[in-house]
């Protein structure tokens, strides 16, 4: 058997979090190798490119016990959206990022009132938000249908093209000296003296430090090490239309129903919002459900009636990761040299910020822009060590 390949830092997971962490590490001069099981269609390759900041009123109603955590995370989302804009400037290449603001629309007086209370709370917490009635909406968003009676506008929200952003970050990582091992599924990691050994369908790798940024695959790698992180794979549906003349300038979402939509610079309208897909076959491949396709498009053309005239050009599914709504970030408790980076909800928005903070933690930097201790995996306790 050949001796293991030695690297200073191995990053497991080449989604937006792993790539951004690796980019920061490579820029620091660290020898870094990213291993990714490309077959899994993680959220990074599937996502819609919405930069979310305001709290989802639907989630507040569904999970009132999570509101304190959501409120605590708000500054994190503001910083994350800004971090994307900085990254676009730093990399000197366009991701078609537009900080054009986001509208959360209401169709009933009750829903509008709920948004108004949320808006007031978010303003107290430092967000740039305001309520817009039908008249103001008709002025800035004439594309919205008659059913919409008002909206909360959040100036910090925006959109980008994830296909461009992902490519740009990957190119920057390679240019900074980082390495990528594609189609490398890590089956198992184990302690090896003061280092870590990674096993899978590749020659064993020995890494001084390891960052687990494997999205929904993170929990399964940690369980044999006795650490419980309940990552769950959530397959979700997306649609995109043919290109149209400029119509929708904002990120649009609904106060009560599952819809987000936005128009890319090239004119296509990306429509999603959390409609379910399914995991099919032995590979658990994320697969489109016809009911989601129809339901999502019907709702989209209800909110923006002119969408009904456009043809759908593609639908796809990808795997989102859920934990408890918040990030899992920082040193793995009791496992020296192992670090974790799983973003909270709207994880693409959080990607570059969370990746950067994970790199900081791994490098032992202490003057972090945010206190990441509330995001420690210690909150989940330990898992029983498997035989
Ligand atoms: C359809 C859809 C739309 C979305 N839209 C938005 C949006 O508009 N805005 C937003 O903010 N968020 C959105 N999200 C959420 C967002 O995409 C994710 O939260 C984010 O991309 C997570 O990034 P990540 O790097 O943590 O994980 P991932 O992107 O899931 O990447 C993890 C990577 O790790 C790899 N991996 C897993 N296990 C292993 C293993 N054992 N060995 C090697 N590699 C492994 C996977 O193959 C994957 O490539 C959406 C998600 C989906 C599915």
């Amino acid at each position: 058997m050949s001796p293991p390949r030695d690297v200073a830092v191995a990053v497991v997971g080449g989604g937006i979090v792993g790539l951004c962490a690796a980019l920061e590490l490579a820029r620091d001069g660290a020898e870094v190798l990213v291993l990714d099981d490309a077959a899994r269609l993680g959220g990074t390759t599937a996502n819609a490119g919405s930069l979310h900041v305001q709290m989802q009123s639907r989630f507040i109603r569904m999970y009132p016990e999570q509101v304190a955590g959501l409120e605590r995370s708000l500054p994190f989302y503001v910083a994350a959206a800004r971090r994307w804009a900085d990254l676009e400037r730093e990399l000197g290449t366009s991701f078609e990022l537009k900080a054009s603001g986001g509208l959360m629309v209401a169709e009933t007086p009750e829903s509008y009132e709920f948004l108004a209370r949320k808006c007031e709370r978010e303003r107290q917490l430092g967000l740039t938000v305001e309520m817009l009635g039908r008249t103001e909406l008709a002025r800035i968003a004439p594309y919205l249908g008659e059913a919409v009676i008002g909206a909360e506008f959040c100036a910090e929200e925006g959109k980008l093209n994830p296909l461009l952003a992902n490519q740009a970050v990957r190119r920057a990582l390679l240019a900074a000296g980082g390495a990528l091992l594609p189609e490398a599924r890590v089956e198992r990691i184990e302690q090896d003296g003061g280092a870590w050994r990674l096993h899978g369908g590749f020659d064993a790798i020995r890494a001084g430090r390891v960052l687990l940024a494997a999205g929904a695959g993170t929990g399964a790698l940690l369980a044999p090490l006795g650490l419980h992180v309940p990552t769950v794979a959530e397959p979700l549906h997306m649609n995109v239309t043919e290109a149209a003349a400029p119509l929708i300038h904002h990120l649009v979402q609904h106060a009560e129903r599952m819809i987000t939509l936005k128009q890319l610079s090239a004119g296509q309208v990306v429509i999603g919002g959390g409609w379910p897909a399914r995991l099919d076959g032995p590979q658990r491949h994320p697969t489109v459900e016809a009911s989601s396709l129809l339901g999502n498009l019907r709702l989209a053309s209800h909110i923006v009636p002119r969408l009904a005239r456009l043809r759908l050009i593609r639908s796809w599914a990808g795997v989102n990761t859920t934990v408890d709504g918040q990030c899992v970030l920082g040193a793995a408790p009791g496992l020296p040299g192992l670090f974790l980076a799983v973003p909270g909800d709207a994880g693409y928005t959080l990607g570059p910020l969370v990746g950067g903070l994970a790199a900081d933690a791994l490098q032992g930097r202490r003057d972090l822009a945010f206190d990441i201790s509330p995001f420690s995996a210690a909150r989940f306790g330990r898992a029983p060590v498997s035989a």
Side-chain angles (χ1 to χ4, degrees):
M1 197 167 44
S2 51
R5 171 178 172 187
D6 276 300
V7 293
V9 183
V11 176
V12 182
I16 195 63
V17 173
L19 289 174
C20 287
L23 174 59
E24 295 298 328
L25 291 164
R27 282 171 164 175
D28 281 348
E31 181 202 20
V32 57
L33 173 68
V34 179
L35 298 98
D36 188 73
D37 167 11
R40 286 179 176 229
L41 297 175
T44 297
T45 37
N47 87 94
S50 311
L51 297 180
H52 290 286
V53 175
Q54 61 178 305
M55 294 185 286
Q56 310 277 314
S57 81
R58 204 163 55 85
F59 288 164
I60 296 177
R61 286 180 191 260
M62 282 161 54
Y63 309 109
E65 72 284 0
Q66 290 192 10
V67 171
L70 290 175
E71 290 190 348
R72 252 198 320 276
S73 298
L74 274 180
F76 213 55
Y77 284 87
V78 174
R82 289 199 190 122
R83 178 70 197 114
W84 265 115
D86 291 344
L87 187 62
E88 188 183 50
R89 270 192 299 277
E90 279 166 27
L91 300 189
T93 177
S94 171
F95 312 153
E96 298 176 357
L97 190 151
K98 298 229 164 55
S100 41
L103 291 167
M104 189 171 287
V105 304
E107 294 190 62
T108 64
E110 192 219 0
S111 175
Y112 186 85
E113 281 310 311
F114 191 86
L115 278 185
R117 287 194 297 277
K118 178 173 91 72
C119 179
E120 185 50 37
R121 181 70 185 138
E122 287 172 333
R123 191 178 298 124
Q124 286 165 5
L125 294 168
L127 258 58
T128 315
V129 281
E130 63 179 311
M131 291 303 294
L132 302 176
R134 188 65 229 179
T135 314
E136 295 111 310
L137 270 186
R139 197 167 35 79
I140 70 156
Y143 53 83
L144 291 170
E146 293 285 305
V148 174
I149 64 164
E152 180 181 353
F153 175 74
C154 175
E156 282 98 352
E157 293 192 315
K159 56 189 177 178
L160 56 74
N161 183 334
L163 300 177
L164 296 177
N166 294 341
Q167 284 300 334
V169 176
R170 213 171 279 130
R171 273 198 309 272
L173 169 63
L174 297 176
L180 280 167
L181 196 59
E183 295 181 32
R185 176 175 162 71
V186 178
E187 304 284 356
R188 189 164 54 87
I189 56 177
E190 62 182 8
Q191 276 175 311
D192 179 2
W196 290 88
R197 200 179 275 239
L198 283 68
H199 301 276
F202 47 84
D203 290 338
I205 290 171
R206 192 170 185 274
R209 285 165 296 165
V210 173
L211 174 66
L212 286 188
T218 305
L221 289 169
L222 286 170
L225 302 170
L227 196 57
H228 178 53
V229 174
T231 50
V232 175
E234 178 188 42
L236 297 180
H237 181 96
M238 286 298 314
N239 294 302
V240 64
T241 72
E242 64 183 327
L247 173 67
I248 304 168
H249 308 294
H250 310 98
L251 165 64
V252 178
Q253 53 188 321
H254 199 286
E256 308 290 339
R257 302 168 78 183
M258 294 193 302
I259 186 95
T260 59
L261 50 89
K262 75 194 77 66
Q263 190 168 21
L264 298 176
S265 299
Q268 298 95 340
V269 181
V270 180
I271 303 167
W275 286 73
R278 66 176 188 277
L279 294 172
D280 234 9
Q283 301 298 326
R284 295 178 54 75
H285 190 80
T287 304
V288 164
E289 291 273 17
S291 56
S292 286
L293 189 155
L294 293 173
N296 194 199
L297 293 181
R298 194 179 300 124
L299 183 52
S301 49
H302 170 67
I303 301 299
V304 179
R306 282 180 54 194
L307 291 180
R309 294 188 210 160
L310 297 181
R311 281 170 298 189
L312 178 70
I313 56 168
R314 193 161 82 87
S315 294
W316 68 95
V319 176
N320 188 35
T321 301
T322 66
V323 187
D324 61 353
Q326 296 187 67
C327 302
V328 184
L329 186 53
L335 298 168
L338 187 64
F339 295 81
L340 309 177
V342 180
D345 287 341
Y348 197 73
T349 304
L350 293 176
L353 181 71
V354 166
L357 288 167
D360 288 340
L362 194 138
Q363 295 289 59
R365 285 193 274 269
R366 297 197 176 278
D367 54 341
L368 305 189
F370 286 92
D371 172 17
I372 62 167
S373 59
F375 301 135
S376 167
R379 69 187 186 270
F380 301 114
R382 295 195 68 77
V385 181
S386 53

